[in-house]
Amino acid sequence: MKKLNALWCATMCFPYFIYATSHSLSEEGALLEHKLQVLLANTLLAIESILPTFCANLMCAKILLSLAIFALLWLCRSSLARLVIYLIDMLLHLSRQDVQTRKQIQQSLMKPISLFLFVVSINISLDVLYYPAASPRALEVWFKIAYVVNGAWFVIIVSQGYVATFLTNLAQKKTDHFRKEVINLLLKIGYFIIVVIALLWILKILGFNISAIIASLGLGGLAVALAVKDMLANFFASVMLLFDNSFSQGERIECGGVDGVVVEMGLRRTTIRTGDNALVLIPNAELANKSITNWSRRKAGRHIRFSIGLTYGTPPDKILQCIESIKAMLLAHPLIAKESTTQQTLDYTLHLKKNIISLDDYLGYKHSVYVVLDELADSSMNILVYCFSKGVSLEEYLLAKEQVIVEILRIIDNLGLSLAFPSQSLYVESLPQIDDTKPSS
């Protein structure tokens, strides 16, 4: 019976120990602390009563209870972690969407949860060992700091995992009204706010006057602004680029001699992957102050332009016939953009602007086709071929250009014409007289 009584008391003590670790007690908390002290005393007496005679004393009972609490909390860490993850899954409805990602997040969450339980178990064990005296003040301060750091770490991991996944799923469902850059911006601002709150909380625990610190920021604001002016410039530039909608992640841009695909836009800099697979980091302030060429903001029409050089002996009628044949081929080619390529349906906001702006230029539709005799060069008569491929990707563009060149070569061959190549003609006006009667030596 005594063993059951001891076990019951230890079990009932456990939740009160968890609650008491905060040590920020109101009037109800003071009453709860008194009940905890009584329950702890009864538990220690019950444990002491079942110990052998040679170790039946208060210190042995406290050591045994401390070790039991420490072991119980440490063994429960996996179950508690699963419970927390299950509750977050239920909250954000992610349990059925990405099992592999959820497992990785679970492994990441195990670290702060395990650390929290480890710190809590040590804190409770020390409180039991110091009973009936209170734990040292300095020791409790360091425990509180550990709780704050651990809590900030836990919130950041949850944000990196579940909140980022939630926002990504939201962006995929609402692609027309939600930009990927907003996710990165919100997450990084959130991380910064979490770290600032944790630092202020730690300063408060250490005894600093937070109100005075915040008030002093107004006096030192100018010095801080001068010290971090570049950082602030990059931050506001990222906000301006976001609202200007200059580019999005995954689009190919060119700025300041850098040409590549936007990987990520952060608070301070934008990451670009160039065509030769180099990673370039550009400060946002530099992007905001320079012209940006966005190669991805085009619906249909990638420029194809080249010249065909015919020999000077080609008759004019044959040249005109060649031009007409090339133009007819381009207008009939399925990979070349034509006027019919332009969009048929418009958003209502664009429909209202159709008489104000050029919608083709605004949306990125190009379909001009020109084939003309352009130049009488040094060694050829050049025909200019000017058109746009229907597809805008590099693969579609190269395929369209290749097929157009092959078809032009067939037209030239069918008409019996010849392509010119760079050449020079040398005319000799006079040669020195050679005396044939003079015997050679």
Side-chain angles (χ1 to χ4, degrees):
M1 187 65 183
K2 291 182 177 180
K3 293 182 179 180
L4 291 175
N5 188 25
L7 180 61
W8 169 256
C9 290
T11 305
M12 293 300 295
C13 255
F14 177 71
Y16 292 108
F17 283 138
I18 297 293
Y19 184 84
T21 52
S22 60
H23 297 284
S24 55
L25 300 173
S26 58
E27 293 182 0
E28 293 86 357
L31 180 61
L32 181 61
E33 185 182 20
H34 176 70
K35 292 181 179 180
L36 173 63
Q37 297 289 339
V38 174
L39 184 59
L40 177 59
N42 293 333
T43 303
L44 290 174
L45 288 175
I47 295 174
E48 186 177 354
S49 65
I50 64 175
L51 290 176
T53 308
F54 68 91
C55 61
N57 54 63
L58 182 62
M59 180 55 67
C60 290
K62 290 193 294 184
I63 293 174
L64 186 61
L65 181 60
S66 299
L67 293 176
I69 293 173
F70 182 86
L72 181 63
L73 283 173
W74 186 249
L75 293 174
C76 288
R77 70 186 190 280
S78 298
S79 301
L80 185 57
R82 293 192 190 96
L83 177 62
V84 172
I85 293 168
Y86 175 76
L87 293 176
I88 298 176
D89 285 346
M90 295 293 293
L91 209 70
L92 299 179
H93 305 287
L94 296 175
S95 57
R96 297 182 179 178
Q97 296 188 16
D98 194 345
V99 177
Q100 185 63 31
T101 301
R102 190 167 64 90
K103 289 181 179 179
Q104 294 176 354
I105 298 172
Q106 180 179 0
Q107 293 176 356
S108 300
L109 286 175
M110 282 294 295
K111 298 177 181 178
I113 293 175
S114 299
L115 179 61
F116 172 76
L117 292 176
F118 178 74
V119 175
V120 168
S121 60
I122 293 178
N123 192 1
I124 295 176
S125 300
L126 290 176
D127 285 344
V128 172
L129 290 175
Y130 276 103
Y131 176 82
S135 301
R137 171 74 178 170
L139 196 61
E140 295 301 325
V141 168
W142 286 111
F143 275 121
K144 290 181 180 180
I145 293 176
Y147 292 143
V148 172
V149 173
N150 188 262
W153 184 20
F154 176 79
V155 173
I156 289 176
I157 290 180
V158 171
S159 301
Q160 289 176 340
Y162 286 101
V163 177
T165 306
F166 174 76
L167 293 176
T168 302
N169 293 338
L170 182 65
Q172 291 175 352
K173 294 178 181 178
K174 302 180 179 181
T175 52
D176 296 335
H177 308 286
F178 205 97
R179 296 186 60 193
K180 297 177 182 178
E181 292 77 10
V182 177
I183 299 176
N184 286 327
L185 196 62
L186 290 177
L187 289 176
K188 291 181 179 180
I189 292 176
Y191 300 155
F192 178 75
I193 293 175
I194 292 170
V195 172
V196 170
I197 292 176
L199 289 175
L200 291 176
W201 201 340
I202 291 173
L203 290 175
K204 183 178 180 180
I205 293 173
L206 292 175
F208 291 92
N209 190 343
I210 303 301
S211 300
I213 294 175
I214 296 176
S216 65
L217 293 178
L219 299 176
L222 179 61
V224 173
L226 292 175
V228 297
K229 63 178 182 178
D230 292 337
M231 185 182 300
L232 292 176
N234 288 321
F235 170 75
F236 287 111
S238 66
V239 176
M240 184 175 65
L241 290 171
L242 184 64
F243 282 101
D244 284 347
N245 196 18
S246 303
F247 53 84
S248 299
Q249 289 178 198
E251 293 184 344
R252 178 192 165 205
I253 66 170
E254 183 177 355
C255 180
V258 178
D259 186 354
V261 177
V262 178
V263 178
E264 180 186 18
M265 186 173 71
L267 295 177
R268 193 177 71 85
R269 61 195 181 187
T270 296
T271 307
I272 296 177
R273 179 70 67 178
T274 62
D276 54 356
N277 207 23
L279 194 65
V280 181
L281 307 175
I282 303 178
N284 291 328
E286 185 176 341
L287 281 175
N289 294 326
K290 290 186 178 181
S291 60
I292 299 175
T293 303
N294 193 324
W295 295 107
S296 297
R297 296 286 175 89
R298 45 190 175 187
K299 298 291 185 180
R302 187 162 179 170
H303 196 195
I304 298 176
R305 175 173 178 164
F306 58 89
S307 295
I308 305 166
L310 300 179
T311 58
Y312 267 103
T314 306
D317 294 339
K318 287 286 187 179
I319 295 177
L320 294 177
Q321 186 179 358
C322 180
I323 291 174
E324 293 298 327
S325 298
I326 294 174
K327 188 171 185 180
M329 180 272 297
L330 293 175
L331 292 175
H333 201 287
L335 299 182
I336 297 300
K338 295 169 278 292
E339 192 170 358
S340 60
T341 309
T342 307
Q343 78 289 342
Q344 301 297 328
T345 58
L346 293 175
D347 184 74
Y348 76 97
T349 56
L350 295 177
H351 184 75
L352 296 174
K353 296 180 180 179
K354 66 178 182 179
N355 296 324
I356 303 175
I357 61 174
S358 172
L359 290 180
D360 284 351
D361 292 327
Y362 179 78
L363 296 174
Y365 287 92
K366 287 291 185 180
H367 47 73
S368 303
V369 176
Y370 300 110
V371 183
V372 295
L373 181 61
D374 181 56
E375 182 185 14
L376 297 176
D378 294 336
S379 56
S380 62
M381 294 181 290
N382 294 336
I383 297 176
L384 173 65
V385 178
Y386 184 103
C387 60
F388 292 86
S389 64
K390 184 178 293 186
V392 296
S393 68
L394 181 61
E395 181 182 3
E396 293 171 322
Y397 165 75
L398 294 176
L399 179 62
K401 187 175 181 180
E402 178 189 50
Q403 293 188 10
V404 166
I405 293 175
V406 171
E407 291 298 326
I408 290 175
L409 291 177
R410 288 174 179 169
I411 292 172
I412 292 174
D413 184 62
N414 292 336
L415 293 175
L417 304 180
S418 299
L419 293 173
F421 54 88
S423 60
Q424 291 182 344
S425 298
L426 180 63
Y427 296 92
V428 180
E429 294 185 357
S430 62
L431 291 173
Q433 293 290 335
I434 300 176
D435 189 2
D436 295 335
T437 60
K438 185 177 180 181
S440 57
S441 55

